[in-house]
């Protein structure tokens, strides 16, 4: 990233043709740059108010017409003077307007550079800055809510509460170190330990939320499993509401994994259709079965498809035994052809993949089982590995302090660990972070944000 003295510009809307495109300019010379390419005097424009005019090249030839808004510092996204241009959304015309801005003195923005400037200008902390990209890339309702909460500052507030508690306890330890013979006692050893344990538990809860946070952010994987010709591919097509998989009466039609994505009640699911499980010697089908079983092991949920018109076979029983430790919903398919009495399972749905009968019940069962798996609560979920690692470091240092208090460890050592815990927490919201960490974070952003 370059120094903040530069003025940067980039297209902020997706590439391709559209009705309107937006170009953002930010930096100390953004108003000067815009004044060179706009038909009105941008120095005289009222801040945060749209103006209509023409966009001009260096020879004052008209390139396009549209709207321009000046947002004077510090009341802007980046905290700098910002100008946003709204032109026609054609890919070529948008590029030409951007080129006008660059020729007028701006330089192309790097990935995430606008948000990095917002962070450096204290418009948001680092956790909130990371939430911006999470908000943009959210692929389901849960991911969107988690990103919005983090951008709102829920995680940052929690971290700051922990920091305040640790700073208070650190002050007591420092007093013990500086005045060991004065007999100063601001609080008892038990009170300090209780405060530290409370923070320790809060950190542990956040760390433990990471796995669920990842699931909610990325979605679940669902593997369709069963013998040949039980209707797995028909079910896949029904769930997708399109003919994605080939369906024939011939056993072993599906040889490789077929992967697609669906949304149920705002949650993203990665569906995997697999080869029918049976004993074969044919090399290609055998490989397909091997891949099916591997996919089942990795899946968050297995939809075990059984034929409702037939009794359980030995192959069915063997397959049930192989997945007994997995989260499973048993699908009794082909109920349009009749239902044979079979032993019930804990989670099961009777459907017809051919006629779509009870498909809605299957959706409900999937939501019920998977939300139960996540133990969804109204809480803060970690979604970034960086945050988990920083909290784990803070937890370990703080655990040393709590253990040290029990063992009457020298206050100097306890003070060192407490400061290290504070340093780890600070990294989450943007203190004590290196330039390489910042570059790594913002390089994942799209250009224009």
């Amino acid at each position: 990233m370059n120094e903040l003295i530069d003025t940067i510009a980039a297209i902020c809307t997706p590439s391709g043709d559209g009705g309107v495109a937006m170009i953002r300019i930010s930096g100390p010379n953004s108003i000067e740059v815009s004044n060179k390419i706009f038909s009105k005097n941008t120095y005289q424009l009222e801040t945060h108010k749209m103006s209509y005019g023409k966009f001009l090249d260096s020879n004052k030839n008209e390139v396009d017409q549209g709207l321009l808004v000046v947002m004077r510092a510090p009341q802007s996204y980046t905290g700098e003077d910002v100008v946003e241009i709204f032109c026609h959304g054609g890919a070529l015309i948008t590029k030409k307007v951007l080129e006008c801005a660059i020729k007028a003195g701006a330089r192309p923005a790097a990935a995430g550079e606008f948000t990095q400037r917002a962070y450096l200008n204290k418009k948001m902390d680092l956790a909130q800055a990371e939430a911006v990209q999470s908000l943009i890339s959210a692929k389901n309702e849960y991911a969107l809510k988690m990103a919005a909460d983090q951008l709102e500052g829920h995680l940052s507030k929690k971290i700051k509460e922990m920091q305040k508690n640790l700073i208070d306890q650190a002050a007591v330890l420092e007093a013990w170190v500086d005045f060991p013979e004065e007999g100063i006692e601001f609080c008892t050893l038990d009170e300090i330990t209780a405060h530290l344990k409370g923070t320790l538990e809060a950190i542990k809860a956040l760390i433990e939320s990471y796995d669920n946070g990842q699931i909610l952010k990325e979605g679940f994987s669902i593997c369709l499993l069963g013998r040949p010709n039980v209707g797995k591919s028909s079910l896949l097509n029904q769930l997708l509401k399109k003919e994605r998989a080939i369906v024939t009466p011939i056993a072993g039609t599906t040889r490789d994994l077929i992967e697609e994505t669906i949304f149920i009640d705002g949650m993203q699911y990665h569906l995997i259709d697999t080869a029918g499980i049976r004993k074969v010697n044919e090399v290609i089908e055998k490989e397909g079965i091997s891949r099916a079983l591997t996919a089942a092991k990795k899946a968050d949920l297995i939809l075990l498809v059984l034929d409702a018109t037939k009794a359980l076979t030995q192959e069915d029983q063997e397959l049930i035994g192989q997945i007994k430790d997995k989260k499973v919903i048993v699908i009794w398919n082909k109920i349009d052809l009749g239902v044979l009495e079979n032993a019930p399972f804990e989670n099961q749905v009777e459907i017809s993949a051919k006629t779509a009968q009870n498909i809605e019940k299957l959706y409900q069962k999937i939501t019920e089982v998977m939300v139960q798996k996540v133990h969804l609560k109204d809480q803060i979920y970690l979604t970034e590995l960086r945050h988990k690692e920083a909290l784990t470091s803070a937890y370990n240092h703080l655990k040393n302090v709590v253990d040290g208090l029990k063992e009457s460890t020298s206050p100097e050592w306890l003070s060192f660990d407490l400061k290290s815990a504070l340093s780890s927490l600070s990294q989450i919201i943007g203190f004590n972070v290196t330039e390489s960490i910042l570059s790594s974070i913002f390089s994942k952003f799209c250009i224009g944000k």
Side-chain angles (χ1 to χ4, degrees), residues 45-61:
L45 295 180
E46 185 179 345
T47 187
H48 292 80
K49 186 175 180 179
M50 289 283 192
S51 295
Y52 174 78
K54 299 176 182 179
F55 303 113
L56 311 171
D57 63 18
S58 56
N59 296 318
K60 300 302 178 184
N61 296 318

Side-chain angles (χ1 to χ4, degrees), residues 120-168:
L120 293 173
N121 289 322
K122 302 189 184 332
K123 299 295 289 185
M124 60 181 72
D125 62 41
L126 194 55
Q128 290 174 299
E130 288 170 294
V132 172
Q133 185 61 22
S134 295
L135 197 71
I136 293 170
S137 60
K139 294 179 174 62
N140 63 70
E141 295 290 341
Y142 295 100
L144 189 63
K145 184 181 184 305
M146 289 190 298
D149 286 347
Q150 188 170 316
L151 183 58
E152 189 69 21
H154 292 192
L155 175 61
S156 301
K157 181 181 177 182
K158 189 75 174 176
I159 297 300
K160 289 173 183 176
E161 288 173 355
M162 294 174 181
Q163 286 179 311
K164 183 181 183 305
N165 185 30
L166 295 189
I167 288 171
D168 290 343

